[in-house]
Amino acid sequence: MAVVLKVRRFGAFGVFHENGEEIPLGAKHQALMALLITAENGIRTRAFLENTLWSFAQPEQAKASLRTALSTLRKHIGVAASSGLVANRERVTLDLSSIEMMDGPTRGVFMEGFELPHEAVFAEWLAQTRDEMSGPTADMGTMPTGTRNRVVLDELLPSIAVLPFTHRSPGPSTAPLGAILSEELSRQLSRSQAFSVTSYLAARQFSTEQVRPSEVSQVAGVSYLVSGSVFVSGHEFIAQVDLHDTERERVIWSREFRDDLSVLLMGDSSALRNATGQIGQTVVGEAVRLVNFKPLTNLANHTLLMAAIVMMQNMEVDQFNKSYDILKTLIDREMQHPVVLTWAGIWHVMRVEKGLSDDRARDRMMAENLAEAALAQDAAFSLAHTLKGMICSQLTHDYDTAESAYDMALRDNPNEALALLMKGATLAMQNNPDEAIQLTEAARRLTPLGPQRYYFDSLAASVNLVARKFDRAIELADQSLSENAQFPASLRTKAIALQMSGRNEEARDVVASLMKVMPDFCIARYVEENTGADPISTLDHATALREAGVPD
């Protein structure tokens, strides 16, 4: 599309016609333009815009203000440009292909000198965006990669807000402990990468004792809400934490946590990390429960995605296949969304890994096509690069190309846990176990919330097996099997480690379990599936499996 608008982002913010004539805009309209031009593909949800620009307004007032602002903005930018500004009931989209960004960070900071009085949520967004765009190597045309990837994920992650916790006596009601705990829990949830977390600055405007969950949902656009109370006992804090489903207005989880005050003030509370994990597991469980009794067409995208990820870990064929049905429903809704396309590709890789594929070549081809489609939508999407690496390392045994793909993913997102894990496993295949152990342990520390832990433990076990750390390999395999008792890779690793440790009878018992899961498994198949791996390790492991009872 031809350029119809020009925007000066750095220094004094300005919007111009294609001929360079400046368009006079009020502060709110400038802020609205800034939010849209920095969004992935120029897309923001109405809820995000309403909450960011009118955070203190009542829900209906905020909705009306956004409608008026969009109408006024269209009039100012003209007919040609306004055709690229589209809004529906959920989203506002600005066609970025019709906009030219006029300059780079060397001309000053992003929106230099700009402020929106009394709008704390926008102020926080602006400060964060200035930090991200201030570096001399900042990309002139896009947001930083980490932010871009997070934006892509946020669209399909369950949204959650943490309200200020009520401070119960003893202690004055004005004491800051409740606010400190709520802010730290918001940070923990955000770091988990399992949720799209509403800014605490936005959430703190609500009074826990006066607001209903549905009211918070209308204003902040969240599906889940965390509230609670806290009081002090000696040197400890004791927090009662409640998780609400905002749509149904009911508490779906409630627990008590306690920890030392000192670790809370240092931002290192294991109790809050535990709370974060339990909140994530509860939301995942709710997603699976809903897809098992509600029509898929009636469920939100984030519920479908979480349920699909959970169910594709299952060794039960019907559950595993249903996860793909869910992904197909998501693809019908979000045909070009890289997250959905990538998880659909991962499903095909896992189908082969679980021994459920009746056509490895077709699953490989499907996975490759989905990876390319995801990268066509976002060339820097780290999870899609990880999928490309998985195809190469797990299906085609092209370890050099796999390692390059994982490096690409980690260059874009150094905290992409799956890329760290798979790179570690690939290095182990190439007989580099020491570095492989470091990477897989780092991946396990970053393991996202939810049901994937067994997979991370399984690959970490295989890496320790190559390093001949048999006790550790057995320990990790057992952890994996405690979560997914039929995962073939964990059973294989445990059987080999037991046999090579001289625990022959135990190894035979594990092989018997393995053959029940994969009746057609044999030594020839194992060797074929490890083509290109370190030949000495492959021979040693094949010998151990044969001795433990696997047929040739």
Side-chain angles (χ1 to χ4, degrees):
M1 184 173 179
V3 171
V4 294
L5 284 180
K6 297 180 180 181
V7 177
R8 183 176 61 220
R9 300 171 298 164
F10 300 93
F13 187 83
V15 180
F16 305 84
H17 291 297
E18 71 276 13
N19 62 5
E21 179 187 354
E22 185 167 6
I23 301 172
L25 294 176
K28 276 282 170 75
H29 300 106
Q30 291 184 56
L32 178 57
M33 279 293 295
L35 290 167
L36 291 170
I37 65 170
T38 54
E40 176 70 14
N41 296 323
I43 301 172
R44 296 282 190 191
T45 64
R46 281 184 176 272
F48 174 85
L49 295 172
E50 290 161 6
N51 183 56
T52 305
L53 295 175
W54 294 278
S55 59
F56 292 104
Q58 292 299 312
E60 290 308 313
Q61 181 184 349
K63 293 179 188 296
S65 297
L66 178 58
R67 286 195 298 269
T68 301
L70 288 169
S71 176
T72 305
L73 182 59
R74 288 190 181 99
K75 291 177 183 177
H76 281 300
I77 62 178
V79 175
S82 63
S83 65
L85 180 59
V86 180
N88 59 26
R89 293 178 61 186
E90 295 182 354
R91 298 178 177 181
V92 178
T93 303
L94 180 64
D95 183 0
L96 299 183
S97 67
S98 65
I99 298 175
E100 177 185 327
M101 305 302 171
M102 294 175 64
D103 47 21
T106 56
R107 294 283 297 273
V109 300
F110 178 72
M111 298 188 80
E112 187 172 1
F114 185 90
E115 62 179 27
L116 212 52
H118 313 301
E119 292 294 351
V121 180
F122 179 82
E124 182 190 33
W125 173 85
L126 181 58
Q128 179 181 349
T129 305
R130 282 172 174 164
D131 286 344
E132 291 166 346
M133 290 185 146
S134 62
T137 59
D139 188 333
M140 305 296 181
T142 63
M143 295 179 71
T145 299
T147 302
R148 180 174 60 248
N149 280 338
R150 183 69 199 211
V151 169
V152 170
L153 284 169
D154 275 354
E155 296 175 10
L156 284 176
L157 290 177
S159 53
I160 194 168
V162 182
L163 298 191
F165 275 48
T166 302
H167 188 167
R168 304 296 186 192
S169 59
S173 60
T174 56
L177 180 59
I180 292 171
L181 190 147
S182 302
E183 189 167 5
E184 184 58 28
L185 186 54
S186 293
R187 290 195 185 100
Q188 293 280 359
L189 288 165
S190 182
R191 289 173 191 150
S192 75
Q193 298 192 27
F195 295 97
S196 173
V197 183
T198 296
S199 160
Y200 178 68
L201 289 175
R204 70 181 183 180
Q205 68 181 286
F206 300 106
S207 169
T208 309
E209 298 176 346
Q210 298 176 5
V211 72
R212 293 174 56 187
S214 60
E215 293 171 338
V216 180
S217 177
Q218 288 175 356
V219 174
V222 295
S223 303
Y224 297 95
L225 183 66
V226 178
S227 66
S229 60
V230 61
F231 66 92
V232 175
S233 176
H235 296 291
E236 285 189 326
F237 71 88
I238 301 174
Q240 181 69 38
V241 185
D242 300 323
L243 177 65
H244 307 256
D245 180 320
T246 59
E247 181 181 348
R248 289 177 287 169
E249 290 200 308
R250 70 181 183 90
V251 176
I252 58 175
W253 171 90
S254 183
R255 296 288 188 278
E256 182 179 283
F257 298 89
R258 61 175 63 206
D259 208 343
D260 289 340
L261 277 169
S262 58
V263 296
L264 173 64
L265 298 175
M266 289 187 297
D268 190 30
S269 171
S270 60
L272 291 190
R273 286 196 296 273
N274 188 18
T276 299
Q278 292 191 34
I279 289 169
Q281 290 162 10
T282 300
V283 171
V284 165
E286 277 288 290
V288 174
R289 187 183 68 82
L290 287 171
V291 300
N292 279 324
F293 79 88
K294 275 194 174 184
L296 299 183
T297 53
N298 293 352
L299 296 174
N301 286 353
H302 68 79
T303 299
L304 294 177
L305 180 65
M306 293 186 75
I309 293 172
V310 172
M311 294 169 77
M312 75 169 65
Q313 318 303 323
N314 203 310
M315 283 300 298
E316 297 294 331
V317 176
D318 61 336
Q319 290 288 294
F320 183 76
N321 289 338
K322 186 171 182 178
S323 70
Y324 198 70
D325 293 338
I326 295 171
L327 287 168
K328 286 194 290 187
T329 298
L330 270 173
I331 289 173
D332 289 341
R333 291 186 189 177
E334 302 279 352
M335 186 175 298
Q336 304 301 323
H337 202 297
V339 173
V340 180
L341 294 169
T342 300
W343 277 108
I346 291 173
W347 183 91
H348 284 282
V349 175
M350 294 192 74
R351 190 182 188 205
V352 174
E353 286 186 313
K354 290 173 180 287
L356 300 176
S357 175
D358 54 6
D359 190 338
R360 288 173 58 96
R362 183 178 183 279
D363 278 307
R364 186 200 72 225
M365 181 187 70
M366 291 294 294
E368 289 173 341
N369 291 343
L370 287 161
E372 292 301 329
L375 288 170
Q377 297 304 313
D378 185 347
F381 187 40
S382 59
L383 190 61
H385 285 293
T386 304
L387 169 58
K388 288 195 71 172
M390 292 175 72
I391 295 166
C392 293
S393 61
Q394 308 300 94
L395 304 186
T396 66
H397 314 298
D398 182 353
Y399 298 118
D400 289 339
T401 303
E403 193 173 343
S404 296
Y406 298 138
D407 286 342
M408 179 73 76
L410 293 168
R411 186 156 55 246
D412 292 332
N413 180 7
N415 292 320
E416 183 62 71
L418 189 57
L420 284 168
L421 179 78
M422 299 307 304
K423 182 176 180 181
T426 300
L427 289 175
M429 288 282 197
Q430 297 172 297
N431 199 26
N432 189 357
D434 292 337
E435 186 179 353
I437 288 174
Q438 292 178 7
L439 288 171
T440 52
E441 286 302 315
R444 291 178 70 248
R445 289 192 294 271
L446 289 169
T447 305
L449 298 177
Q452 291 180 276
R453 184 75 188 190
Y454 85 93
Y455 189 72
F456 281 63
D457 287 340
S458 180
L459 286 188
S462 69
V463 167
N464 279 271
L465 177 65
V466 173
R468 304 185 73 82
K469 297 186 177 186
F470 301 130
D471 288 344
R472 178 62 172 162
I474 294 167
E475 177 188 1
L476 287 166
D478 280 338
Q479 289 180 20
S480 174
L481 292 167
S482 70
E483 298 293 331
N484 191 335
Q486 296 181 305
F487 190 50
S490 301
L491 291 168
R492 284 198 304 267
T493 296
K494 183 178 180 180
I496 294 167
L498 286 169
Q499 184 69 30
M500 296 181 77
S501 300
R503 298 161 63 177
N504 301 355
E505 290 303 317
E506 293 175 79
R508 285 186 170 275
D509 289 342
V510 175
V511 164
S513 298
L514 174 62
M515 299 308 295
K516 289 179 182 177
V517 175
M518 296 181 67
D520 57 347
F521 183 66
C522 61
I523 299 300
R525 177 173 174 176
Y526 177 79
V527 172
E528 180 185 357
E529 289 177 354
N530 285 271
T531 301
D534 176 53
I536 295 176
S537 293
T538 300
L539 178 61
D540 288 345
H541 297 168
T543 300
L545 286 170
R546 183 181 293 108
E547 291 171 348
V550 175
D552 286 333

